[in-house]
Amino acid sequence: MSERPFMQLYVSDFIGDTLHLSTEQIGAYMLLLMAMWNAGGKLTRDPSKLALITRMSLKKWRTLEADLLAFFEVREHEISHNRVTKELQKSERKSNSRATAGAKGGAAKHLKNKQMRLENDTILLKHLPDTITNKKSNDSF
């Protein structure tokens, strides 16, 4: 899929879920969500890469890792987030629906234009220019 133009943020849900986090943790959480959005819904479980995403040292990441990963589905090699996954799927469906509608509209316009060209060509073939039907017998200037 092409680059997604925006990520939906449900502010009330976000604030309600993160009341117990520090400002630093909220920032790290948002960075993880945004990186996950751009990565198609999953991030590697590698602590050094997650530290880079959150703009923290590896040491600092390790102190906050448990609190932050509590928001994610953690597997052996990757993490994901239920809400991000649902929003990505919704975005993909909407994009596909719009692409299909656009293709149908483009096909209909192409067919209409083709039909108009055929009609115009037929009309032009039926009418001969006056110079051919009204030939003068002598060539005078």
Side-chain angles (χ1 to χ4, degrees):
M1 177 179 189
S2 64
E3 186 176 324
R4 292 163 196 87
F6 66 91
M7 179 180 83
Q8 187 81 32
L9 177 64
Y10 297 88
V11 176
S12 295
D13 291 345
F14 183 84
I15 296 297
D17 291 344
T18 60
L19 284 173
H20 65 286
L21 297 180
S22 69
T23 302
E24 182 178 41
Q25 290 170 317
I26 289 172
Y29 180 42
M30 280 300 299
L31 289 168
L32 289 169
L33 291 174
M34 290 184 286
M36 190 171 283
W37 179 263
N38 282 338
K42 295 178 183 169
L43 293 175
T44 180
R45 176 75 166 72
D46 180 358
S48 61
K49 291 187 180 174
L50 294 175
L52 283 173
I53 290 169
T54 57
R55 296 168 172 87
M56 295 180 179
S57 68
L58 184 56
K59 182 179 179 182
K60 183 65 175 179
W61 167 255
R62 291 204 187 275
T63 64
L64 300 177
E65 182 176 20
D67 291 334
L68 292 171
L69 291 184
F71 291 97
F72 297 91
E73 288 186 33
V74 180
R75 294 182 195 83
E76 185 177 352
H77 298 290
E78 65 187 20
I79 64 172
S80 61
H81 190 275
N82 283 334
R83 188 69 169 258
V84 171
T85 300
K86 288 177 186 174
E87 291 300 319
L88 282 169
Q89 290 169 347
K90 187 165 79 172
S91 174
E92 182 76 20
R93 282 191 306 273
K94 190 178 285 190
S95 177
N96 289 340
S97 173
R98 288 178 177 170
T100 301
K104 285 180 182 177
K109 183 174 181 177
H110 174 72
L111 185 61
K112 180 180 175 183
N113 289 343
K114 184 178 178 181
Q115 183 64 34
M116 287 176 60
R117 281 193 308 272
L118 287 173
E119 289 172 3
N120 287 340
D121 289 347
T122 305
I123 291 169
L124 290 174
L125 290 175
K126 290 180 182 176
H127 298 285
L128 297 174
D130 288 341
T131 56
I132 295 175
T133 56
N134 296 329
K135 286 184 180 177
K136 292 183 180 179
S137 58
N138 58 9
D139 293 314
S140 60
F141 291 100

